[in-house]
Amino acid sequence: MGLVSVIVTCYNHEKYIEQCLKSVLSQTYPEIELLVINDGSTDKSEEIILKTLELSNTKYEYIYQENSGVCVTRNRGLDWIKGKYVLFIDSDNYLDPEFIEKLVSLAESEEVDIVYTDLINASSKELFMKARPFELQAYLTNNFIDNCSLIRASIIKDVRYDLNLNRKKLVDYDFIMNLILVNKAKPKKCEEAKLNYRVLANSISRTGEHSSDKFYYEVYFYILRKHIEDYPNEILNAVSHNTMILENRLSNLTKHLTELTEHVKNQDHEIIVKNDEKKLLELDKQNLLVERKELGEHFSYEIEKYEKEQFTMKQIIATLENEKNEIRNSNSYKLGNLFIKPIHYGYRFIKNPALALKVWSKLKENTRKYSTKVVKPSTLLMRIKRSVERKNNNYVAPSRILIFVIYEDKEKLQEYKLLFLKAFKALCTDLLIIVNGDLPSSDIEQLEQLGRVETRENKGYDTAAFRHGILLLGKEKLLEYDELLLVNDTNIGPVGELSSIFKKMADKKLDFWGLTYGEEYNDFTNLNKYGYIPKHLQSYFLVIEKTLLSYSGFYSYWEKMNDTNSRDKAIGMHETVFTKHFSDLGFKHGALTEKNEDSAMYIHPLEMLKEGIPVIKYTALSNYTNEKFIWQGLNRQTEIPSLVKYIEEKTDYPVKIIKEIIEDIKEKDSQKYVLIIDGVENVIPQLTKYRVENKIEQLKNLNFRVKSVGLSELKISDAERASHIIIYRAPYNEMLVNLIQVAKEFNKPVLYDIDDLVIDTKYTDQLSYVKGLSKIEKQNYDAGVTNYGKMLVLCDIAIASTEDLKKELKKYNTKVLLNRNLGSEELIKLSNNAEKLSDASCVHIGYFSGSITHNENFELIMPAILKILASFNNVKLHLAGHIDIPNELKEYSEQIVIHPFVDWRLLPQLVKNVDINLAPLVDTIFNRAKSEIKWLEAGLLKIPTIASNIGSFKDMIIEGETGILVDSSEDWFEKLELLVTNGELRKKIGRNTYNYVVNNCTTIQHNDELTDFLFEEAKNKIND
């Protein structure tokens, strides 16, 4: 019926995770893949997870990540799924054995997209939540679909969990609502299944009735606002219903609302008299600086501290005047109306008691959140406060501390960095130099003459280094200075006088500033909390004035900063967030120039120098020819020759330094490498290991420079310095097509590496697995096969792992190179360290594969296996992987040993415990093209292999010397019996195979058609 991708997310659930996982592993439904994501648990969850998974017969993957929150975690799971359906399970819940089977059966029979159930209290076994048959209006009013619902993967499309809701409530409500309202998913309740739901007091989503949580309605209205344009009536009805609930709970508030109505009706033009104004102003002064108090038993709001000016009161009065008729004509004074009215109706509050004023103020604030680009009233008020605080800034003769971040990839510190620091030492009171990585002691000594030097591990990018410096200094030390400078070593300069720059910016009276802004654009990181990349000060050069430096939230911002160990995290979670984050708190920012179009600092360095920018970005110098832009997907003219001339003729900066940097970049550009693009990206670890990682090791051992990149992270510029480009098992896509076109323009050969015949449906249609697919599943599978074939044809050369595969690939590409799978140095070491622990009185036969259900290869030898087990009581059959024992074998269950699927690093120890390795293959074109990996891995353990006499086994095995070959199904018993009864023959074949593999089939100094081609190409280029 289709593969179900089960995703279990866990954070500190050591008490419950084992029960959860075992309930998944014991499902009656057979087609399951399991992903367990440990979201940074600090208890014993990981130990329990790994121990439980060791016993699993289900295909699984385990991921540990730093704590990121449920939305980030589930989105990672969505990117992993390969099944027809997906099922999320929180690790404190568990499933009944037939849960998935019942949900899939309903999804298939009713052709629905979401199947949900009632929730049973896992402790008391009482009904916790009664789900109702789906009806849209009821669902918009109150959520009754739990996250642990079966979802058809094809309906998800681009929908993801909203990162703005991360670590908040209702994340599943928002996600599933998007599937229903946006993607038109069809939900259906399954009456026959129940979810065992654990009610925990400390869980975000387990706090009893939703209405008891003070943040529930804030999130609820945020979610509904997304759909107001497409479902206005339904949303209005849902909001009205929930608002009535609020009104029933807030009897005091309702009373005051009624009084206000009567006041509006009776006082046509005198909404608020002077006495009212005086009373409200007094309430404002007394209460707006107090934290939000409890409002009723279950509803409370908090209000930020701020100082309110008298003109704000007048503005609110004017707004109430304009809205008088609307209040008079409304059916009730439903709080929800405030969430769906246009933003310009946001200024609402109720005359009379302070509690009502606070409710109205909070509702007004929520309407302002309709768009993060709209300036909030609180921001306007905070700006007033900051303008008063700013008067205390020292703009005339400030004391400054510079935190300067250095990362040096040269043998010694580059001169331009020292020159830059010396210029700043004249401006700054103190310098703190953070070194990412190592520097020679002589360089450290030079830096120590300029300031304090601290070294750290090179991780987290400049963002983490700035954080390290700030926390190293501490809050109290920072407050001794008037300005904090955050600068990195990607700046070359200064070109011109720095003091004049600081004077110019001081005149603007800012709270923080930089040299340039980054442009607003879509959030390519998917991590920015605003949902887009706002216009932002670029982080390579920031100056923080006293107002912001002394603000307590500034230091806590750095304290709370999460992992920035990837480029996207550093950009999406800090560099493009910092400016708006503090701007929204009322702090004023600016830049030396407003010019920021077309990445000007990197593409137009001369233009920016003339604009008054005192630095040149190091990366800008790498664009020294027009061709360099082509690799960035741009059509631009280089400014570098003119820039060098300008610096030499118009400035005092040593042009020699600029020229040396350009020469260094050119030298680096001349160091070509072989680029390998991994299209599998470890989704199937064995594929990435043998065709990417082992190939890299093979080439490096022959002194080739190699760079690898996953397809998902590929940029065209990755291939700029490549001499050759190898694309491994990547499907046809626009990025690769563009890359191939640019590569052809620069005469860079592109090779397509594929290790089986998944390039044409005429081959894959032979597979029993494919024959069992549904029509839709087969269409999807065939589309993937076709895309592999299209890439194969586009590339200049193909790479095959076997002779038979090479023969078939030549029908699609005229030039094919043989590059067999090889054993890595790590595999050799693991194999040599493996110990034989099995019972020596028995003969152990091993079949190491995936599921043998409907496995035609295992069925080929089934008669021989049954006969061997019947004839020899001392023979044990070891089956490893995701295995269901065929009925025919159950009679010999005492002679059968089942092993769970294991990581490749543990496989040598498992194989070491058998005496004979089985490698049967049904004779088809597809199977003849398969690799001899099973023989190779057993050979490194001195274990003899008995294999079908076809394809790569036939090519590599010498009969009776390095293995046993079987021609037909009838011969399997005879050949297998020979090995079972002849221990000396087994030892002889094992030794011979080991010697052959070690000398001919490893990554150590191994030449083949691929390496011969690369060497010949390199030789020809030298001769040219």
Side-chain angles (χ1 to χ4, degrees):
M1 287 188 284
L3 180 68
V4 176
S5 298
V6 179
I7 302 170
V8 175
T9 58
C10 178
Y11 176 68
N12 285 351
H13 277 160
E14 61 181 2
K15 294 181 180 179
Y16 314 114
I17 183 61
E18 183 177 3
Q19 184 181 24
C20 174
L21 291 177
K22 285 184 175 179
S23 75
V24 176
L25 300 176
S26 61
Q27 288 295 299
T28 58
Y29 187 78
E31 297 181 74
I32 291 175
E33 65 174 1
L34 173 62
L35 171 65
V36 183
I37 305 179
N38 184 348
D39 189 26
S41 296
T42 57
D43 59 5
K44 296 182 179 178
S45 292
E46 182 172 56
E47 177 183 339
I48 296 169
I49 291 169
L50 294 174
K51 183 177 180 181
T52 305
L53 291 178
E54 281 180 3
L55 305 175
S56 168
N57 290 331
T58 299
K59 180 181 178 182
Y60 72 85
E61 184 172 346
Y62 172 69
I63 295 174
Y64 176 87
Q65 65 183 27
E66 294 297 321
N67 183 254
S68 305
V70 68
C71 291
V72 173
T73 303
R74 289 180 181 167
N75 283 341
R76 187 170 187 178
L78 288 173
D79 292 336
W80 170 85
I81 61 173
K82 298 176 284 298
K84 183 177 181 179
Y85 298 97
V86 60
L87 180 71
F88 282 101
I89 306 174
D90 292 334
S91 55
D92 52 339
N93 299 333
Y94 66 93
L95 312 179
D96 291 331
E98 296 179 351
F99 184 88
I100 294 179
E101 184 175 358
K102 290 177 179 178
L103 267 61
V104 172
S105 177
L106 181 61
E108 292 286 313
S109 62
E110 299 286 337
E111 296 185 349
V112 294
D113 304 306
I114 301 172
V115 183
Y116 60 96
T117 69
D118 292 336
L119 307 185
I120 300 296
N121 188 314
S123 300
S124 67
K125 300 302 178 182
E126 297 175 350
L127 183 67
F128 176 75
M129 186 189 80
K130 177 71 175 176
R132 56 185 297 172
F134 185 80
E135 193 274 319
L136 181 59
Q137 190 63 65
Y139 181 66
L140 293 176
T141 302
N142 186 35
N143 181 24
F144 50 81
I145 300 179
D146 187 74
N147 185 67
C148 187
S149 300
L150 187 76
I151 300 173
R152 191 179 299 273
S154 60
I155 202 68
I156 297 175
K157 300 176 183 176
D158 294 329
V159 173
R160 291 294 184 269
Y161 283 85
D162 187 345
L163 295 182
N164 289 322
L165 297 180
N166 203 26
R167 307 185 194 280
K168 296 183 181 179
K169 299 180 73 69
L170 300 181
V171 296
D172 51 327
Y173 190 31
D174 174 70
F175 175 71
I176 293 176
M177 187 181 294
N178 277 322
L179 296 181
I180 295 171
L181 298 187
V182 179
N183 290 359
K184 311 302 180 186
K186 293 187 291 185
K188 179 83 173 180
K189 180 186 177 184
C190 179
E191 298 288 353
E192 298 180 3
K194 304 289 186 290
L195 172 66
N196 295 292
Y197 186 90
R198 208 176 299 276
V199 184
L200 303 177
N202 62 346
S203 175
I204 289 177
S205 58
R206 308 283 198 274
T207 53
E209 293 184 6
H210 288 300
S211 56
S212 67
D213 190 285
K214 61 185 179 181
F215 297 112
Y216 173 83
Y217 281 96
E218 176 181 338
V219 177
Y220 172 73
F221 286 113
Y222 167 82
I223 292 171
L224 290 190
R225 276 200 303 273
K226 297 180 180 181
H227 309 287
I228 185 66
E229 292 185 6
D230 296 326
Y231 298 88
N233 295 330
E234 293 86 348
I235 299 296
L236 177 60
N237 290 335
V239 170
S240 298
H241 178 84
N242 277 283
T243 305
M244 290 302 295
I245 293 174
L246 292 178
E247 289 184 339
N248 291 335
R249 292 175 184 163
L250 302 175
S251 57
N252 290 335
L253 177 60
T254 303
K255 177 181 176 182
H256 294 304
L257 288 170
T258 304
E259 291 175 356
L260 177 62
T261 303
E262 293 299 319
H263 176 76
V264 172
K265 288 181 178 178
N266 296 327
Q267 303 294 329
D268 194 30
H269 295 293
E270 299 178 359
I271 297 175
I272 298 177
V273 296
K274 293 182 178 179
N275 288 337
D276 292 328
E277 179 178 341
K278 180 179 179 182
K279 179 185 281 188
L280 288 171
L281 284 171
E282 289 173 352
L283 288 171
D284 189 37
K285 292 176 182 178
Q286 295 170 11
N287 297 314
L288 289 180
L289 297 177
V290 181
E291 292 186 356
R292 287 170 285 192
K293 297 179 181 177
E294 285 292 315
L295 181 55
E297 183 179 358
H298 298 299
F299 197 73
S300 67
Y301 291 89
E302 295 178 290
I303 191 164
E304 291 183 344
K305 294 181 181 182
Y306 65 92
E307 183 179 345
K308 194 162 187 176
E309 301 293 330
Q310 187 171 349
F311 79 91
T312 306
M313 189 65 236
K314 294 178 181 178
Q315 186 176 5
I316 295 172
I317 294 170
T319 303
L320 282 174
E321 178 70 39
N322 293 333
E323 297 176 351
K324 174 187 60 181
N325 291 330
E326 181 185 352
I327 296 173
R328 181 194 295 133
N329 296 327
S330 61
N331 295 328
S332 66
Y333 310 103
K334 301 182 176 94
L335 303 181
N337 286 344
L338 295 175
F339 290 88
I340 59 174
K341 287 183 180 294
I343 291 175
H344 70 272
Y345 287 124
Y347 278 116
R348 288 231 185 154
F349 78 93
I350 300 169
K351 163 196 168 290
N352 255 335
L355 290 179
L357 174 62
K358 291 182 179 183
V359 170
W360 228 251
S361 179
K362 184 60 180 177
L363 295 178
K364 174 191 65 178
E365 180 181 292
N366 282 334
T367 61
R368 293 306 182 189
K369 292 180 180 178
Y370 180 80
S371 169
T372 60
K373 296 184 182 181
V374 177
V375 179
K376 302 174 186 176
S378 59
T379 298
L380 295 172
L381 295 167
M382 292 307 292
R383 286 178 182 174
I384 297 169
K385 182 179 179 181
R386 305 303 178 204
S387 66
V388 175
E389 295 172 346
R390 206 174 295 126
K391 295 175 183 178
N392 297 320
N393 281 353
N394 183 355
Y395 293 112
V396 179
S399 59
R400 300 185 177 105
I401 181 163
L402 166 67
I403 298 179
F404 187 75
V405 175
I406 288 177
Y407 168 69
E408 186 55 77
D409 59 355
K410 306 291 183 186
E411 292 183 0
K412 62 186 303 275
L413 190 65
Q414 295 179 75
E415 185 181 355
Y416 82 87
K417 299 178 184 183
L418 287 170
L419 196 62
F420 190 88
L421 278 170
K422 288 175 182 178
F424 271 85
K425 184 170 177 61
L427 280 176
C428 298
T429 310
D430 292 307
L431 273 65
L432 173 58
I433 302 165
I434 307 295
V435 178
N436 276 342
D438 299 319
L439 276 180
S441 57
S442 58
D443 287 340
I444 295 291
E445 290 173 4
Q446 285 191 77
L447 292 174
E448 286 176 340
Q449 295 177 16
L450 299 170
R452 176 183 172 185
V453 179
E454 296 287 340
T455 60
R456 63 183 293 274
E457 183 182 354
N458 182 32
K459 64 178 184 178
Y461 292 79
D462 292 342
T463 300
F466 287 137
R467 177 181 185 272
H468 181 83
I470 288 171
L471 300 186
L472 193 65
L473 289 170
K475 186 186 301 185
E476 297 304 318
K477 182 66 176 178
L478 284 171
L479 293 178
E480 295 178 9
Y481 302 97
D482 297 312
E483 287 181 352
L484 166 66
L485 280 62
L486 302 174
V487 184
N488 68 28
D489 67 348
T490 63
N491 301 288
I492 302 170
V495 181
E497 285 293 327
L498 279 176
S499 57
S500 61
I501 302 300
F502 279 82
K503 175 63 170 62
K504 180 179 179 179
M505 298 309 293
D507 291 342
K508 294 184 178 183
K509 302 293 189 290
L510 303 169
D511 298 307
F512 64 108
W513 57 274
L515 296 181
T516 54
Y517 282 111
E519 302 168 72
E520 178 183 315
Y521 45 91
N522 293 332
D523 180 21
F524 63 88
T525 71
N526 293 318
L527 295 170
N528 194 291
K529 67 180 182 179
Y530 301 112
Y532 72 106
I533 301 295
K535 181 180 178 182
H536 56 281
L537 289 170
Q538 294 184 303
S539 61
Y540 63 86
F541 189 112
L542 288 176
V543 179
I544 314 299
E545 301 289 354
K546 189 75 169 185
T547 37
L548 179 53
L549 190 58
S550 59
Y551 170 59
S552 60
F554 175 78
Y555 193 81
S556 63
Y557 170 90
W558 294 95
E559 279 185 313
K560 296 175 182 177
M561 183 176 291
N562 292 323
D563 162 35
T564 58
N565 286 336
S566 74
R567 176 176 174 271
D568 282 354
K569 287 179 180 179
I571 294 172
M573 298 168 66
H574 164 67
E575 293 181 16
T576 60
V577 167
F578 183 88
T579 303
K580 181 170 173 57
H581 176 82
F582 288 106
S583 177
D584 286 349
L585 293 171
F587 293 100
K588 186 179 179 182
H589 58 85
L592 186 59
T593 175
E594 291 289 328
K595 184 177 179 62
N596 67 330
E597 300 85 4
D598 198 29
S599 300
M601 285 297 293
Y602 303 91
I603 297 176
H604 308 290
L606 177 57
E607 202 173 311
M608 296 303 284
L609 211 59
K610 292 179 178 179
E611 280 278 323
I613 299 298
V615 299
I616 302 162
K617 294 294 289 178
Y618 188 97
T619 309
L621 297 180
S622 65
N623 296 319
Y624 53 82
T625 67
N626 296 338
E627 290 179 353
K628 301 284 283 186
F629 291 113
I630 296 176
W631 290 104
Q632 301 167 46
L634 301 172
N635 182 15
R636 300 289 188 275
Q637 299 293 313
T638 179
E639 291 185 357
I640 301 306
S642 300
L643 174 71
V644 172
K645 184 178 180 182
Y646 179 86
I647 291 173
E648 188 170 21
E649 296 177 354
K650 304 290 185 180
T651 75
D652 295 330
Y653 192 83
V655 73
K656 176 177 72 74
I657 291 178
I658 302 294
K659 290 179 177 179
E660 287 176 353
I661 292 173
I662 295 173
E663 289 305 312
D664 283 343
I665 293 172
K666 288 180 178 180
E667 173 62 25
K668 189 175 181 179
D669 286 347
S670 69
Q671 297 172 4
K672 302 299 183 184
Y673 50 71
V674 176
L675 175 66
I676 300 180
I677 301 167
D678 180 8
V680 175
E681 297 189 277
N682 223 37
V683 172
I684 304 176
Q686 186 187 53
L687 298 186
T688 294
K689 179 64 184 172
Y690 274 97
R691 300 311 294 173
V692 177
E693 295 174 7
N694 288 6
K695 196 189 311 293
I696 291 171
E697 189 171 282
Q698 175 193 7
L699 295 177
K700 285 187 174 180
N701 281 335
L702 295 171
N703 296 319
F704 287 99
R705 292 190 184 91
V706 187
K707 175 180 178 178
S708 66
V709 61
L711 179 61
S712 62
E713 297 183 351
L714 175 68
K715 305 183 296 294
I716 291 180
S717 58
D718 289 322
E720 181 185 352
R721 290 170 47 211
S723 60
H724 299 78
I725 302 164
I726 298 175
I727 302 172
Y728 170 59
R729 207 180 177 112
Y732 180 94
N733 68 41
E734 186 177 345
M735 164 74 82
L736 291 175
V737 172
N738 291 338
L739 173 61
I740 291 170
Q741 290 174 345
V742 177
K744 288 182 184 296
E745 185 177 341
F746 289 90
N747 297 316
K748 296 177 186 284
V750 181
L751 299 84
Y752 192 71
D753 186 5
I754 194 80
D755 48 356
D756 57 30
L757 285 170
V758 288
I759 45 94
D760 194 320
T761 56
K762 76 177 186 181
Y763 300 115
T764 55
D765 283 347
Q766 303 173 20
L767 302 175
S768 57
Y769 164 76
V770 174
K771 292 175 182 177
L773 296 176
S774 68
K775 183 178 180 180
I776 294 177
E777 288 172 335
K778 188 172 187 304
Q779 287 174 349
N780 292 335
Y781 183 86
D782 288 350
V785 171
T786 301
N787 281 330
Y788 287 139
K790 289 170 69 175
M791 281 304 302
L792 170 65
V793 173
L794 275 179
C795 294
D796 304 306
I797 302 168
I799 301 175
S801 54
T802 68
E803 287 285 1
D804 283 87
L805 180 58
K806 176 181 176 180
K807 177 182 176 182
E808 294 301 318
L809 292 186
K810 281 190 173 181
K811 298 174 182 178
Y812 302 85
N813 197 306
T814 56
K815 186 167 186 177
V816 184
L817 305 174
L818 181 62
N819 173 236
R820 290 190 179 278
N821 286 315
L822 302 172
S824 66
E825 294 177 40
E826 184 178 7
L827 180 62
I828 296 170
K829 182 178 179 181
L830 290 170
S831 299
N832 288 338
N833 291 336
E835 298 181 35
K836 191 172 184 65
L837 304 174
S838 55
D839 183 1
S841 65
C842 296
V843 177
H844 301 268
I845 302 173
Y847 181 74
F848 301 94
S849 183
S851 172
I852 60 173
T853 304
H854 310 302
N855 188 324
E856 58 185 6
N857 295 322
F858 190 81
E859 289 172 0
L860 175 68
I861 61 171
M862 180 76 77
I865 292 293
L866 291 171
K867 196 171 179 180
I868 288 290
L869 293 175
S871 303
F872 301 96
N873 292 331
N874 67 327
V875 169
K876 290 189 179 294
L877 174 64
H878 293 252
L879 301 175
H882 312 297
I883 293 177
D884 298 324
I885 301 177
N887 291 329
E888 298 93 326
L889 288 175
K890 291 183 178 178
E891 180 181 347
Y892 305 98
S893 58
E894 292 185 0
Q895 292 174 261
I896 296 174
V897 182
I898 302 296
H899 301 277
F901 176 84
V902 297
D903 181 80
W904 72 269
R905 295 172 183 82
L906 302 177
L907 186 60
Q909 180 59 59
L910 195 61
V911 178
K912 184 70 175 178
N913 285 306
V914 303
D915 302 295
I916 302 168
N917 177 46
L918 300 173
L921 283 178
V922 173
D923 192 2
T924 65
I925 294 176
F926 196 92
N927 283 344
R928 286 200 294 269
K930 283 182 171 293
S931 174
E932 66 279 6
I933 288 176
K934 293 176 71 173
W935 166 80
L936 181 153
E937 291 177 340
L940 285 173
L941 293 156
K942 300 181 181 178
I943 305 298
T945 294
I946 177 170
S948 295
N949 190 20
I950 66 170
S952 60
F953 291 130
K954 182 177 181 179
D955 295 337
M956 301 302 293
I957 293 175
I958 302 173
E959 171 65 16
E961 294 294 325
T962 59
I964 298 293
L965 293 170
V966 183
D967 291 313
S968 65
S969 57
E970 293 77 16
D971 295 335
W972 270 95
F973 174 75
E974 179 184 341
K975 295 287 184 80
L976 194 51
E977 183 184 38
L978 175 64
L979 281 178
V980 168
T981 58
N982 193 335
E984 287 303 316
L985 179 61
R986 295 198 303 268
K987 290 179 182 179
K988 169 195 165 186
I989 293 175
R991 287 193 302 270
N992 291 342
T993 309
Y994 175 82
N995 292 330
Y996 185 86
V997 171
V998 167
N999 292 322
N1000 300 280
C1001 306
T1002 73
T1003 59
I1004 302 171
Q1005 297 299 311
H1006 181 87
N1007 281 296
D1008 54 26
E1009 291 180 6
L1010 172 61
T1011 60
D1012 289 345
F1013 168 77
L1014 294 175
F1015 277 125
E1016 187 64 27
E1017 286 274 297
K1019 180 180 176 181
N1020 291 339
K1021 288 184 178 179
I1022 292 173
N1023 293 335
D1024 289 344

